[in-house]
């Protein structure tokens, strides 16, 4: 399900809770809405609000950490591609085929990870083309100790690149536990039901509750967007990997 769809579901639950609270207020006998009852509702809403704030902070921290980690891995991958190309360049002209293959694999990776016009989901899995770079390096026949050292270094960098790509694949599932999110939405709904119970039912209050519900669903939207860094509106930029192409083959 898309982040936008989930956010609208959250909005419907939260704002619907506020409207439900107002309906209950109109249906309950007057003695249920005494000052003491309202004070107790405020205390209960405050307790649930505190728990919701803690879980919300936890989800934001988790999503931001996941986003930053994958962004850092993408930057490191871009730097390692350049380092691999320069290492092969120092090896000698024998690596031209491997360097051309590396450049093609980078172009292909950009197209797969950031589909043009959002034509499909990001595909982070390494392709056979990118894995062939390692095989090409391995088939080189070093003529001296310097080339042997450069070959070993290139193989290590190539293996690190594949490891980083698979790390991105494994992290693609997201870091937000769904039970946490469901529980948070449940608590937020309870809070807005409490608001509806104690708030006077007029247009100004309804408008404020509407804006508050929209803000809450917006916060959930941002959390889910951060948790999917290669999709949606808040995604990791392809700039780093695209800039790599300017350095390859020189």
């Amino acid at each position: 399900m898309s982040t936008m769809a989930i956010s609208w579901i959250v909005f419907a639950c939260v704002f619907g809770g506020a409207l439900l609270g107002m309906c209950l207020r109109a249906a309950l006998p007057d003695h249920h809405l005494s000052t003491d009852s309202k004070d107790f509702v405020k205390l209960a809403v405050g307790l649930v609000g505190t728990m919701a704030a803690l879980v919300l902070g936890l989800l934001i921290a988790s999503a931001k950490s996941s986003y930053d980690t994958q962004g850092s891995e993408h930057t490191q991958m871009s730097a390692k591609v350049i380092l691999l190309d320069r290492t092969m360049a120092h090896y000698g002209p024998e690596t031209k085929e491997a360097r051309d293959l590396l450049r093609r694999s980078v172009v292909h990776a950009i197209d797969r990870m950031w589909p043009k016009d959002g034509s499909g989901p990001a595909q982070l899995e390494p392709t056979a083309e990118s894995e062939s770079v390692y095989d090409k390096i391995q088939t080189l026949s070093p003529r001296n100790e310097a080339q042997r050292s450069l070959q070993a270094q290139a193989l290590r960098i190539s293996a690190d690149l594949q490891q980083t790509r698979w790390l991105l694949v494994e992290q693609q599932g997201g870091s937000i536990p769904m039970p946490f999110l469901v529980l948070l939405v449940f608590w937020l709904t309870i809070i807005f039901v409490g608001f509806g119970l104690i708030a006077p039912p007029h247009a100004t209050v309804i408008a404020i509750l509407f804006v508050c519900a929209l803000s809450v669903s917006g916060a959930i939207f941002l959390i889910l967007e951060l948790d999917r860094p290669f999709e949606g509106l808040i995604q990791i930029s392809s700039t780093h990997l695209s800039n790599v192409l300017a350095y390859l083959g020189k």
Side-chain angles (χ1 to χ4, degrees):
M1 189 180 296
S2 69
T3 56
M4 185 63 72
I6 294 175
S7 300
W8 281 118
I9 292 173
V10 173
F11 172 79
C13 291
V14 173
F15 188 62
L19 296 180
L20 175 62
M22 288 185 171
C23 292
L24 288 175
R25 176 190 174 96
L28 289 173
D30 290 340
H31 67 275
H32 283 275
L33 300 174
S34 64
T35 302
D36 290 340
S37 297
K38 289 182 178 180
D39 289 342
F40 180 76
V41 169
K42 291 177 183 178
L43 287 173
V45 168
L47 173 62
V48 177
T50 301
M51 294 188 297
L54 290 173
V55 173
L56 185 61
L58 180 63
L59 293 181
I60 291 174
S62 177
K64 186 64 168 63
S65 175
S66 176
Y67 183 91
D68 289 342
T69 298
Q70 294 186 58
S72 175
E73 289 170 353
H74 166 243
T75 303
Q76 291 177 28
M77 184 173 66
S78 303
K80 286 178 180 178
V81 169
I82 298 174
L83 181 59
L84 177 59
D85 181 74
R86 299 313 306 154
T87 301
M88 290 192 290
H90 286 298
Y91 184 96
E94 302 94 324
T95 60
K96 184 179 186 309
E97 186 177 354
R99 294 178 70 195
D100 291 342
L101 185 60
L102 177 63
R103 183 182 181 85
R104 290 197 301 270
S105 69
V106 170
V107 173
H108 196 192
I110 293 172
D111 292 338
R112 285 166 54 85
M113 295 170 73
W114 293 275
K116 294 180 180 178
D117 303 323
S119 56
Q123 300 178 42
L124 305 180
E125 299 84 356
T127 61
E129 187 178 52
S130 63
E131 293 180 342
S132 296
V133 175
Y134 183 91
D135 298 330
K136 288 289 184 184
I137 298 171
Q138 204 166 30
T139 59
L140 295 172
S141 301
R143 297 191 301 271
N144 51 54
E145 191 60 36
Q147 285 190 336
R148 233 182 322 271
S149 175
L150 288 169
Q151 182 190 34
Q153 184 179 351
L155 286 171
R156 186 176 64 254
I157 297 170
S158 181
D160 288 345
L161 278 171
Q162 296 304 314
Q163 182 184 30
T164 303
R165 284 292 294 273
W166 283 113
L167 274 174
L168 290 174
V169 171
E170 290 302 313
Q171 293 166 350
Q172 195 174 13
S175 63
I176 302 299
M178 190 53 64
F180 271 38
L181 185 61
V182 172
L183 184 62
L184 176 61
V185 174
F186 175 68
W187 284 346
L188 290 171
T189 303
I190 291 176
I191 291 170
F192 273 74
V193 170
F195 288 162
L197 277 172
I198 61 178
H202 54 71
T204 301
V205 169
I206 293 175
I208 293 173
L209 288 172
F210 178 87
V211 173
C212 289
L214 201 61
S215 300
V216 167
S217 61
I220 300 297
F221 174 77
L222 290 177
I223 291 173
L224 295 175
E225 283 287 302
L226 286 173
D227 198 44
R228 302 176 183 181
F230 288 96
E231 302 174 21
L233 297 177
I234 309 175
Q235 62 176 262
I236 295 171
S237 174
S238 63
T239 303
H240 290 299
L241 203 55
S242 298
N243 290 341
V244 165
L245 296 174
Y247 300 96
L248 298 184
K250 290 186 177 181

